[in-house]
Every structure is written in structure tokens, then in C-alpha cells.
């Protein structure tokens, strides 16, 4: 806490009046990442403030302290309105832009009336000041005779004006902290106040030592330059850019999606989590075979009649499915639908399908039989009964999509877990070196077998311990070899770790079908691929093998 206060004071000290609200806000950690848009927004708000002051110019005598307070309230109202429309938490901007040219007006010995007679000059100030407000504002200020007594009065007026902003900023911060973090809110409030103190001390110091006369052009320029340097450096005094974790769990694609991100700004984090959920929901809406009106369900129903055009999301998944089919020598085949339906793992069929039924379903399977028009992005089924099932690909693909969206929002720390399809962002969570992911023992799924530390990697596991059906006392998994038409029994569990969640999803299924020959092939081509294969044969040794760099320093304990 003390460090926060010291930093905040120093940051505040290096800040200059007029940016008080802005700096306090950044100390409150609100502005992190937004400062880039600050200039254009401050122009907007500066003009808004300028226009407003222009309109009320005859009603408000800025020489009167209480009028500052009144205008402070008006400025807060403008900022809340903008905040409400999500323009920008602009409490700080409205505030200090006004401070700046109110100071100019006031230090013109309150010749508000005179100045307001030349509206053009005045409006120019209102628009110009926010552009590069610190040096410009300060040079404008320095054009007037700084008198110490007046400056002190000015500061008190600033404080009065600033009060509504300060109260609101601190209340805003307090409200946004959960009760458990009330201590944080106190330290942030104290940080805020020490930043203000730092600004006031800086203001007095600068004024005291450089009382500027109209003629001292060089001094004025140096003042502006010095202030600009101070303003820029004060950015580095932000100490409360605490990263906090924010999580959102929701059901999606027949499982639970757990999103966790680390961010400095609560409202941003919540917005990003909700947006991620919308993205996930929109993918499910399009590609779920459990939704009769989804784009994929409609394609499955109609693509035997005529070529069906694919929207980008579906097309991307189809292209990925094609690559997966080729990489896995046909073991991974999204046209698997008729066989999945026949073996009905979900509806727990109780007797074995007949050989004829399997042969008939196999007729309706085979990615190479699809008629795909790359040009027009259409797909046609050779006959009725084909059914595309993205069950082993889209979850991983969707996780990558969310990771891509988080990167767009400059979120670099986070974890996405869609029913075991996991992606860890590239930067570790605060005070950690990686994301610790537990991998179950497929022979005893209630137990964790190992924990891997990942960064910028996905992980997926295909196993026969969650989705299977028992027929005549034998376990049949939900993963089927499209070439034989039978559920495979090559492995009990396959875990894949790779920088793409989609390919983890695909390869865990493909290797589950194809086994070690495919691993040998893949591990030669894909350098950053890591695989763990477990198989407990009816008789003999349990296969408990790892492939790839990751396992070099990670013990793979024997399986009990
Ligand atoms: P994985 O090994 O990743 O995939 C196995 C699944 O892939 C099988 O279930 C089958 O669908 C398919 N498959 C089998 N063999 C092969 C093969 N050789 N090649 C390619 N694919 C094969 N489940 C629900 O219960 N309710 C839902 O509402 C629901 N909605 C979903 C919506 C979407 C968009 C997606 C992608 C999945 C949805 N699911 C839903 C889950 C889906 O039905 C599968 O059970 C799930 O994706 C299996 O994933 P896994 O990681 O357990 O196994
Ligand atoms: Mg999978």
C-alpha cells in the first residue's frame, strides 16, 4: 500500500494541473489501454465543454469559486452521459479540459466578459486547448501574469471544481470492488488523493519558481516543454494497474465453457467475456447438429438436392475438416454422421447394428465423396443420407476463435476451457509462470495423472471413458473408424498439446482412430506437437507413451 501511495504521489507530482482528473483516473487503473484514444475524445469533449461554456457564458462568472463547483457538476454530467453511451469513461476528460481554459479565462483577471465578446478566439481556445492540452494550456496560462495569491485562489477553485469528479471517481471505484476487495478501494482512494496532492505540490512548485512575464517567450516555451515531458513521464507512475481475474462460465455445445481472463479494468473485462460468450453462442447456432435450424442441420437436410452455399464459419470448418481428413489419411472424417447415428452412443443403443446396417451407413460416409466447389464455396452430397458432424473439430476451432478475439482486445492472460478443449493464452497469469492443466488417467478418470504447465498452447483429450455405450458387456466408444464402420478400440486415451486448440481436437480423435503409426508420421512433421497415448490391452503391458519435447523435462509417472 505504501508503495502505491509513494508511486501515486510521484506520479501526481509529475502530473500537471488540468490533467488531475486524467491522472487520478489512470492511478485508479481505469485508463490503461485507453490512453491511445484519449486525444480524439478529449478534442470532442473539449469542444463540448467549450460550446457549453460559450452558451452559459453570460450566466456563469468563473471568477466566483462556487461557479467552478457548479460547472464541475455539469462536467460530471456530460462525462456520465458519455460513459453511459460507452463512449469512454470520460469523467477525467470533461474535468480537466474545463480546468484548463477556465484557468485561462480566470487568469485573464476573470475578464470573462471581455474574452467572451470575441467568441471566435474563445471557441478556438476551447477546441485548441484539448488538442495537446498540457503544453498548449500551460503556454496559454503563461501568457497571463501569474500572481501567487491568484494562483492559490485558482487552485482552490480547481479543487472545488474537481470535487464532484473526485467523489464520483472514488465512489465509482468503491462500487466496482467486491466487498472482499474493499481494502483495495481504500488504497485506490488514498492513491487518488496522494496523486492530487502531488499535482498541487507540483503546481505550486512550478509557479513559485517560474513566475512568467508576458515577455519571457523562451521561459514560456520551456515551461510548456517541461510540462509535456512531465506529463508523458507521469504515465509510468500508474501502480494500480492491478491485473485481476474475471471469469464467466456458461453451457455451450453440450458442455460447459469456462472463460478466465486477467484485466485491469472490470467493466472492460465483463464486456469482453460477454462478447466471447456471444461469439461462442453464434458458432453453436450455426454448426450444431442438435439444432434443427442451424446452418449445418439445414445443409445436412438439403445438400443432396442441390449445392449448398456455406457461410464463412461453416466454410472455414469444412476447409479444416478437409485438411484433417488428408493429414489423418482418412481416419478423421466429418462425414461420419450416419455411423455416429447408427452406433447411437448418445441414445445408448443396446444391441449391435447388423453388418448390413453398417455397410449401408458406410455407403453414406467418405469426405472424398463430397462435391465441394471451392470457387462458389458450396458443398453437395452425392446422395441422400450423408451427414456432416463437426463434433471432433468445432469445439477446438471455437476455442481458437475466442483466443483470437481476446488477442484483438489486447487480453494476453487467460484460459479458455470448452469441455476439455483448452487453450492457454501466451502470457502467464500474474505471479505464475504458466497455466497448470491437469490431465486425467484414462484408466481411472476420477484421478489426475499429471499436470502440465502451458503457455500459448491448446490441449485436448479423446477418451473412451466419457462417451461410450455398453453392448453385450462390451464398451463401444463414440469415435468410429470411417473405413471399417466400427467404433475404435485403439486407445483408452489420447491427449494432444499443440499451439492450436482446433488441431488438438482433431488430432486427439484422429490418433484415437489410427494409433501409433499416425503419431510417428505427425511427430516428424509437426515440431511443437506433444502427444500422450494410453492403451490397456486385454492382455499384456499398458501402453503409456509420450511423444514430443514437452515431456522431456516432465515426468510421465507409471499408470496404476
Ligand atoms: P472428440 O474425440 O473430440 O469427438 C468425438 C466426436 O466426433 C464424436 O462424438 C462424433 O461426433 C465425431 N466423430 C466420431 N468419430 C469420428 C471420426 N473418425 N472423425 C471425425 N469425427 C468423428 N453434445 C450434446 O450432448 N448436446 C449438444 O447440444 C451438443 N451441441 C454441440 C454443438 C456443436 C457445435 C458441437 C461441435 C458439438 C456439440 N455437442 C453436443 C458435442 C458433440 O456431440 C460431441 O459429443 C462432442 O463434440 C465430442 O467431443 P469430445 O471432445 O468428447 O470427443
Ligand atoms: Mg475432441
Amino acid at each position: 500500500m505504501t508503495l502505491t501511495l509513494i508511486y501515486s504521489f510521484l506520479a501526481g507530482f509529475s502530473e500537471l494541473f488540468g490533467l488531475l482528473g486524467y491522472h487520478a483516473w489512470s492511478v485508479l487503473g481505469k485508463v490503461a489501454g485507453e490512453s491511445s484514444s484519449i486525444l480524439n475524445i478529449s478534442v470532442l469533449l473539449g469542444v463540448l465543454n467549450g460550446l457549453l461554456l460559450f452558451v452559459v457564458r453570460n450566466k456563469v462568472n468563473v471568477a466566483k469559486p462556487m461557479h467552478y463547483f457548479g460547472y464541475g457538476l455539469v462536467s460530471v454530467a456530460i462525462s456520465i452521459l458519455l460513459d453511459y453511451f460507452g463512449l469512454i469513461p470520460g469523467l477525467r476528460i470533461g474535468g480537466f479540459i474545463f480546468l484548463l481554459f477556465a484557468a485561462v479565462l480566470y487568469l485573464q483577471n476573470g475578464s470573462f466578459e471581455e474574452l467572451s465578446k470575441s467568441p471566435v478566439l474563445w471557441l478556438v481556445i476551447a477546441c485548441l486547448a484539448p488538442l495537446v492540452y498540457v503544453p498548449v494550456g500551460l503556454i496559454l496560462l503563461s501568457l497571463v501574469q501569474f500572481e501567487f495569491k491568484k494562483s492559490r485562489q485558482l487552485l482552490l477553485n480547481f479543487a472545488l471544481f474537481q470535487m464532484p469528479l473526485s467523489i464520483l471517481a472514488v465512489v465509482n471505484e468503491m462500487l466496482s470492488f467486491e466487498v472482499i476487495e474493499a481494502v483495495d478501494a481504500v488504497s485506490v482512494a488514498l492513491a487518488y488523493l496522494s496523486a492530487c496532492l502531488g499535482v498541487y505540490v507540483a503546481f505550486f512548485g512550478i509557479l513559485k519558481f517560474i513566475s512568467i512575464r508576458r515577455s519571457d517567450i523562451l521561459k514560456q516555451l520551456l515551461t510548456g516543454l517541461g510540462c509535456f515531458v512531465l506529463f508523458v513521464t507521469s504515465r509510468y507512475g500508474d501502480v494500480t494497474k492491478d491485473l485481476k481475474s474475471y471469469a464467466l462460465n456458461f453451457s455451450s455445445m453440450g458442455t460447459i465453457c469456462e472463460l478466465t481472463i486477467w484485466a485491469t479494468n472490470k467493466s472492460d473485462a465483463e464486456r469482453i467475456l460477454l462478447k466471447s460468450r456471444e461469439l461462442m453462442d453464434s458458432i453453436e447456432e450455426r454448426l450444431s447438429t442438435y439444432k434443427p435450424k442451424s446452418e449445418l442441420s439445414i445443409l445436412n437436410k438439403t445438400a443432396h438436392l442441390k449445392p449448398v452455399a456455406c457461410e464463412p464459419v461453416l466454410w472455414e470448418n469444412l476447409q479444416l475438416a478437409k485438411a484433417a481428413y488428408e493429414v489423418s489419411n482418412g481416419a478423421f472424417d466429418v462425414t461420419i454422421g450416419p455411423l455416429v447415428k447408427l452406433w447411437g452412443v448418445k441414445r445408448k443403443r443396446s444391441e449391435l447394428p447388423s453388418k448390413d446396417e453398417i455397410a449401408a451407413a458406410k455407403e453414406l460416409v467418405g469426405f472424398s465423396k463430397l462435391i465441394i466447389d471451392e470457387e462458389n464455396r458450396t458443398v453437395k452430397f452425392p446422395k441422400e443420407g450423408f451427414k456432416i458432424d463437426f463434433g471432433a473439430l468445432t469445439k477446438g476451432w471455437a476455442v481458437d476463435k475466442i483466443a483470437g478475439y481476446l488477442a484483438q482486445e489486447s487480453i494476453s492472460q487467460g484460459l479458455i476451457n470448452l469441455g476439455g478443449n483448452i487453450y492457454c493464452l501466451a502470457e502467464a497469469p500474474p505471479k505464475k509462470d504458466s497455466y497448470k492443466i491437469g490431465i486425467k488417467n484414462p484408466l481411472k478418470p476420477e484421478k489426475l495423472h499429471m499436470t502440465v504447465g502451458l503457455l500459448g498452447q491448446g490441449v485436448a483429450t479423446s477418451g473412451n471413458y466419457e462417451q461410450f455405450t455398453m453392448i453385450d458387456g462390451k464398451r463401444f466408444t463414440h469415435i468410429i473408424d470411417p473405413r471399417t464402420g466400427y467404433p475404435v478400440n485403439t486407445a483408452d486415451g489420447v491427449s494432444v498439446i499443440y499451439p492450436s486448440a482446433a488441431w488438438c481436437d482433431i488430432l486427439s480423435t484422429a490418433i484415437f482412430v489410427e494409433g501409433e503409426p499416425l503419431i510417428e508420421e505427425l511427430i516428424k512433421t509437426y515440431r511443437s506437437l506433444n502427444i500422450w497415448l494410453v492403451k490397456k490391452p486385454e492382455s499384456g503391458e499398458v501402453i503409456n507413451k509420450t511423444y514430443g519435447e514437452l515431456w522431456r523435462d516432465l515426468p510421465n509417472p507409471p499408470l496404476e
Side-chain angles (χ1 to χ4, degrees):
M1 173 109 119
T2 343
L3 195 61
T4 309
L5 297 183
I6 296 169
Y7 266 126
S8 306
F9 178 81
L10 291 179
F13 186 85
S14 63
E15 191 67 42
L16 269 173
F17 66 86
L19 289 175
L20 180 66
Y22 174 79
H23 184 74
W25 202 269
S26 56
V27 164
L28 294 172
K30 279 275 182 192
V31 79
E34 275 160 10
S35 46
S36 51
S37 59
I38 193 158
L39 285 186
N40 39 22
I41 295 279
S42 63
V43 171
L44 170 78
L45 280 164
V47 172
L48 256 183
N49 269 297
L51 291 174
L52 193 71
L53 264 174
F54 181 64
V55 166
V56 299
R57 65 187 182 286
N58 299 325
K59 307 245 181 334
V60 169
N61 172 350
V62 282
K64 294 268 173 296
M66 277 322 279
H67 287 214
Y68 274 80
F69 187 79
Y71 196 75
L73 289 175
V74 169
S75 192
V76 165
I78 298 178
S79 306
I80 290 176
L81 215 61
L82 290 165
D83 215 4
Y84 177 73
F85 289 111
L87 260 173
I88 187 169
L91 302 185
R92 61 189 182 286
I93 309 223
F96 61 77
I97 297 292
F98 166 73
L99 289 184
L100 209 53
F101 62 89
V104 174
L105 299 177
Y106 185 80
L107 288 169
Q108 302 271 355
N109 309 318
S111 58
F112 189 78
E113 286 64 31
E114 258 167 62
L115 204 61
S116 61
K117 286 197 187 75
S118 54
V120 173
L121 165 73
W122 200 74
L123 278 181
V124 165
I125 289 183
C127 302
L128 194 66
L131 264 183
V132 194
Y133 30 77
V134 178
V136 169
L138 282 154
I139 292 174
L140 287 175
L141 281 179
S142 59
L143 289 178
V144 294
Q145 302 305 324
F146 276 134
E147 287 158 42
F148 198 71
K149 228 165 84 268
K150 267 204 173 142
S151 317
R152 197 176 39 229
Q153 179 56 44
L154 170 66
L155 260 182
L156 285 179
N157 293 345
F158 279 2
L160 269 174
F161 167 79
Q162 192 69 28
M163 227 20 94
L165 283 166
S166 328
I167 296 164
L168 208 72
V170 176
V171 166
N172 190 15
E173 207 53 30
M174 295 278 198
L175 294 179
S176 59
F177 280 95
E178 265 72 61
V179 176
I180 32 148
E181 290 174 310
V183 175
D184 283 6
V186 170
S187 75
V188 163
L190 285 175
Y192 178 91
L193 293 175
S194 53
C196 299
L197 182 63
V199 172
Y200 289 155
V201 170
F203 184 86
F204 272 117
I206 288 179
L207 276 180
K208 195 90 181 123
F209 300 115
I210 47 161
S211 55
I212 299 175
R213 294 279 161 268
R214 227 181 260 280
S215 52
D216 303 350
I217 299 288
L218 186 65
K219 260 194 181 177
Q220 288 160 10
L221 290 180
L222 282 177
T223 310
L225 191 67
C227 299
F228 194 68
V229 168
L230 280 170
F231 163 63
V232 172
T233 50
S234 74
R235 284 286 167 290
Y236 305 101
D238 298 345
V239 286
T240 55
K241 276 200 320 198
D242 281 341
L243 278 166
K244 285 192 187 60
S245 72
Y246 297 91
L248 181 68
N249 295 353
F250 55 95
S251 59
S252 181
M253 301 186 199
T255 180
I256 297 295
C257 181
E258 294 161 8
L259 287 178
T260 311
I261 59 173
W262 276 264
T264 52
N265 179 315
K266 183 170 192 266
S267 51
D268 261 2
E270 286 166 351
R271 173 180 60 79
I272 292 168
L273 287 171
L274 288 176
K275 188 91 176 86
S276 305
R277 172 175 189 169
E278 280 166 24
L279 191 53
M280 196 65 95
D281 289 348
S282 68
I283 294 168
E284 178 175 15
E285 281 305 314
R286 279 191 181 282
L287 302 182
S288 170
T289 51
Y290 293 76
K291 296 180 183 293
K293 295 214 174 65
S294 76
E295 192 187 340
L296 181 59
S297 297
I298 294 169
L299 182 143
N300 280 335
K301 271 185 247 154
T302 58
H304 64 286
L305 300 168
K306 59 180 180 12
V308 175
C310 302
E311 291 297 318
V313 164
L314 197 152
W315 182 254
E316 231 184 282
N317 278 266
L318 201 67
Q319 293 300 302
L320 188 59
K322 186 169 165 228
Y325 178 74
E326 287 153 5
V327 162
S328 66
N329 315 315
F332 186 98
D333 186 334
V334 293
T335 62
I336 199 82
L339 283 166
V340 172
K341 197 166 157 222
L342 179 68
W343 284 94
V345 167
K346 293 263 182 195
R347 58 187 163 82
K348 300 289 171 226
R349 83 172 278 148
S350 53
E351 78 297 332
L352 278 173
S354 68
K355 288 213 181 328
D356 294 349
E357 284 175 310
I358 294 171
K362 266 179 57 187
E363 276 300 300
L364 300 172
V365 169
F367 194 89
S368 52
K369 298 175 191 164
L370 296 180
I371 302 140
I372 296 180
D373 176 341
E374 302 282 344
E375 184 100 349
N376 301 311
R377 296 192 160 198
T378 62
V379 61
K380 180 157 180 338
F381 291 163
K383 60 172 134 175
E384 190 165 10
F386 267 72
K387 185 179 175 213
I388 290 177
D389 171 346
F390 285 136
L393 170 148
T394 294
K395 291 196 308 190
W397 180 82
V399 166
D400 281 341
K401 278 289 161 206
I402 302 296
Y405 163 65
L406 294 179
Q408 273 172 20
E409 289 282 356
S410 334
I411 297 288
S412 51
Q413 292 152 301
L415 183 69
I416 308 150
N417 180 356
L418 175 60
N421 288 86
I422 294 171
Y423 186 78
C424 311
L425 294 189
E427 227 180 288
K431 302 187 185 86
K432 297 262 175 35
D433 59 3
S434 64
Y435 299 89
K436 300 293 178 243
I437 308 294
I439 303 184
K440 288 180 190 165
N441 169 352
L443 308 179
K444 287 196 179 124
E446 69 288 356
K447 289 184 79 180
L448 269 195
H449 178 64
M450 59 170 105
T451 302
V452 288
L454 298 178
L455 283 178
Q457 300 255 29
V459 50
T461 296
S462 283
N464 59 7
Y465 46 85
E466 277 175 358
Q467 295 197 45
F468 58 86
T469 184
M470 296 301 284
I471 304 176
D472 306 342
K474 244 188 116 207
R475 176 189 296 230
F476 290 94
T477 75
H478 62 323
I479 299 175
I480 299 165
D481 185 334
R483 288 117 359 149
T484 64
Y486 280 83
V488 286
N489 214 353
T490 332
D492 289 295
V494 176
S495 295
V496 172
I497 294 169
Y498 188 62
S500 147
W503 279 99
C504 290
D505 199 1
I506 291 165
L507 296 178
S508 66
T509 309
I511 293 167
F512 200 93
V513 176
E514 206 67 341
E516 293 185 76
L518 183 59
I519 296 179
E520 301 303 344
E521 229 184 280
L522 293 170
I523 211 79
K524 272 187 268 165
T525 329
Y526 296 89
R527 300 292 313 140
S528 37
L529 188 59
N530 296 288
I531 298 158
W532 178 44
L533 169 72
V534 174
K535 173 67 193 152
K536 183 173 185 218
E538 253 92 51
S539 60
E541 271 291 274
V542 169
I543 301 170
N544 167 13
K545 281 172 103 175
T546 55
Y547 303 78
E549 306 282 302
L550 180 86
W551 318 99
R552 214 188 22 214
D553 347 334
L554 188 83
N556 169 18
L559 277 165
E560 289 129 43

